[in-house]
Amino acid sequence: MTDLRKTAVVLLSGGLDSMVSAARAKEQGFDVAALTIDYNQRHRVEIEAARTIAAHIGAVRHIVLPLDLRQFGGSALTDDIDVPKTGVGQDIPVTYVPARNLIFLSLTLGWAEALGARDIFIGVNALDYSGYPDCRPEFIQGFERLADLATKAGDQGEPFTIHAPLQYLGKAEIAAEAVRLGLDPAMSWSCYDPLPDGRACGLCDSCRLRKQGFADAGLTDGTVYAA
């Protein structure tokens, strides 16, 4: 029987960062319970990527939880707003989904408490600081404190740990970690605006950062890009 105190609940989007985060949890000796949120995002192909990754790393359980954030909108990923293709900027981009990681971590926390697990993994990283406020270290630290205040487990002296193993890594380092961990990068999906034929657009922020990361690391990525 699985020792739930050695289980980590991993937020698994299907992207490169979440794949490496999940594999790091496995490497650290945790059994992985993977949670994927199907929020009716534009790039729904990443849900299938998450299923592939969960199977590959031997997740003890994988939940794909429906949560239609198109009902809220407010993002190029959940609304009729064009995904920018002109390059990575410094401001919070329109691909920011309002409070996404706060919502997702809350759901991850709920499952972790129900399981009896006290460890949560999320694949946020350094390149997201300027663009996405819910990827910054201050947010992760604040949520960890909130988790202990908001739960029965925390009230009873069983604190939660929010692991962000990629927090201070750039994309090149994350790409190298994927290879070190024996992962096929092509299992993951990063593009925000995939083409109908299944290729990644190659021009959105996520594609640009991924391509540059693999180039900087001198590694090959199996993703097929249209541009």
Side-chain angles (χ1 to χ4, degrees):
M1 179 180 293
T2 300
D3 180 354
L4 293 177
R5 296 311 173 98
K6 295 187 178 182
T7 297
V9 178
V10 177
L11 190 56
L12 183 65
S13 68
L16 176 68
D17 301 342
S18 73
M19 176 176 74
V20 174
S21 176
R24 285 282 292 267
K26 189 80 172 179
E27 183 181 51
Q28 290 178 33
F30 289 102
D31 290 320
V32 171
L35 179 64
T36 301
I37 311 297
D38 177 358
Y39 59 102
N40 204 5
Q41 61 268 52
R42 180 189 296 263
H43 52 312
R44 295 180 58 77
V45 63
E46 73 172 355
I47 298 168
E48 292 307 314
R51 289 191 173 101
T52 299
I53 294 163
H56 178 79
I57 65 172
V60 294
R61 192 173 174 193
H62 182 210
I63 290 178
V64 178
L65 188 69
L67 179 70
D68 187 5
L69 292 185
R70 281 193 174 271
Q71 298 291 325
F72 292 171
S75 167
L77 303 187
T78 58
D79 212 333
D80 295 326
I81 301 170
D82 290 339
V83 173
K85 303 289 180 67
T86 57
V88 181
Q90 294 300 313
D91 297 329
I92 297 176
V94 297
T95 49
Y96 164 75
V97 178
R100 179 176 60 182
N101 282 345
L102 178 59
I103 295 167
F104 289 4
L105 272 178
S106 297
L107 294 167
T108 308
L109 174 64
W111 189 24
E113 186 172 31
L115 279 177
R118 300 293 178 258
D119 292 273
I120 292 170
F121 279 72
I122 182 171
V124 294
N125 73 83
L127 283 180
D128 291 327
Y129 289 179
S130 60
Y132 298 99
D134 57 356
C135 289
R136 296 172 185 161
E138 296 85 353
F139 166 70
I140 298 300
Q141 293 160 9
F143 188 89
E144 188 173 77
R145 292 194 297 271
L146 179 65
D148 292 338
L149 293 172
T151 58
K152 177 181 177 181
D155 188 65
Q156 294 181 343
E158 297 182 12
F160 291 87
T161 301
I162 312 299
H163 301 263
L166 315 184
Q167 186 81 83
Y168 298 103
L169 302 184
K171 272 291 188 285
E173 294 168 298
I174 294 168
E177 269 293 273
V179 172
R180 184 188 71 80
L181 291 162
L183 302 167
D184 177 3
M187 289 192 299
S188 65
W189 184 266
S190 297
C191 179
Y192 289 150
D193 195 21
L195 276 65
D197 64 8
R199 291 179 295 167
C201 75
L203 295 174
C204 69
D205 287 4
S206 190
C207 279
R208 289 174 186 270
L209 291 171
R210 180 177 176 130
K211 287 196 295 183
Q212 189 63 53
F214 276 90
D216 289 346
L219 297 170
T220 301
D221 178 11
T223 300
V224 179
Y225 295 99

